[in-house]
Amino acid sequence: WSKEARETYRQTNAAIQRATESLTGTFAFNTAIAALIELSNYLGSVSDRAHPTFAHGLMCLIKMLSPMAPSVGEELWEVVRESGYLQAAGHTAATAPASVFAESWPKIDETALKQQSVTVVVQINGKVRFRLEDIDAGQSQEDLIRAASEHAQAKKWLFDSSSGKKKDINKVVHVPNKILNIIV
């Protein structure tokens, strides 16, 4: 799968989790609707709409919307049935249910909720200097310091301009998968 397809699948499962918890645990319908709006906005920005993860996300969105807006859910389901997205998600024309209410609530894939790559903001002396994009999630502090030291923009902040030697690091503040702050 492409990076976008993996993110689409992750966003879909995150929305399923939030909506399920909101509707069954706290009965907070507003947060369930907020999760559906976030998923809808994300699906609207997806460029590869032919990938099965997009069809899966769209079907899950409609299934979760249906209990709160039954008429809209049923109409959207009919449009999706006629457009062929059900076939992209694994249904055949014969097995595709005529009504969204014949479908079960979407299941959460817990493994999809884990991010595989993250963007880590690198601060030097408390100011944002650059970002490390597509870093494997869960990398150690030492690996991040090494990656930050090798970054082109880090040279002017971590190395002495006259001698070219690396400056001493006094303190490091690391928030896993989010921020690396290096104090020199």
Side-chain angles (χ1 to χ4, degrees):
W1 286 1
S2 67
K3 181 180 175 183
E4 184 182 55
R6 283 193 308 269
E7 183 62 15
T8 301
Y9 192 64
R10 192 190 73 73
Q11 290 276 349
T12 301
N13 280 283
I16 294 168
Q17 183 182 40
R18 282 187 59 207
T20 302
E21 289 172 359
S22 296
L23 292 175
T24 60
T26 59
F27 299 109
F29 297 108
N30 54 339
T31 57
I33 291 171
L36 299 183
I37 291 171
E38 288 173 12
L39 179 59
S40 174
N41 289 339
Y42 180 79
L43 290 175
S45 70
V46 170
S47 59
D48 185 10
R49 295 183 178 193
H51 199 277
T53 57
F54 178 80
H56 173 71
L58 186 62
M59 288 176 47
C60 289
L61 176 65
I62 295 170
K63 289 177 193 178
M64 291 185 292
L65 176 67
S66 296
M68 294 171 270
S71 299
V72 174
E74 199 63 46
E75 286 294 322
L76 289 173
W77 189 259
E78 187 63 33
V79 169
V80 168
R81 278 186 73 221
E82 292 172 4
S83 69
Y85 275 118
L86 290 176
Q87 286 77 14
H91 287 292
T92 63
T95 64
S99 171
V100 68
F101 296 105
E103 285 284 302
S104 61
W105 187 260
K107 301 283 186 251
I108 302 168
D109 182 359
E110 297 288 340
T111 59
L113 296 175
K114 296 178 183 150
Q115 285 186 305
Q116 295 177 352
S117 64
V118 294
T119 298
V120 176
V121 175
V122 178
Q123 298 177 333
I124 300 176
N125 293 332
K127 294 185 181 176
V128 175
R129 304 298 181 185
F130 55 92
R131 288 171 170 72
L132 295 172
E133 305 284 340
D134 293 331
I135 298 294
D136 291 336
Q139 278 200 1
S140 69
Q141 178 176 315
E142 292 77 25
D143 290 340
L144 289 174
I145 291 172
R146 189 175 313 109
S149 298
E150 295 169 359
H151 196 277
Q153 292 181 349
K155 304 291 184 209
K156 81 177 193 182
W157 301 106
L158 296 178
F159 291 89
D160 189 5
S161 58
S162 59
S163 67
K165 291 184 178 179
K166 189 173 180 181
K167 294 180 182 177
D168 291 333
I169 296 174
N170 295 331
K171 185 178 180 182
V172 175
V173 178
H174 177 228
V175 178
N177 298 328
K178 294 184 190 256
I179 295 175
L180 178 69
N181 187 3
I182 302 171
I183 310 296
V184 293

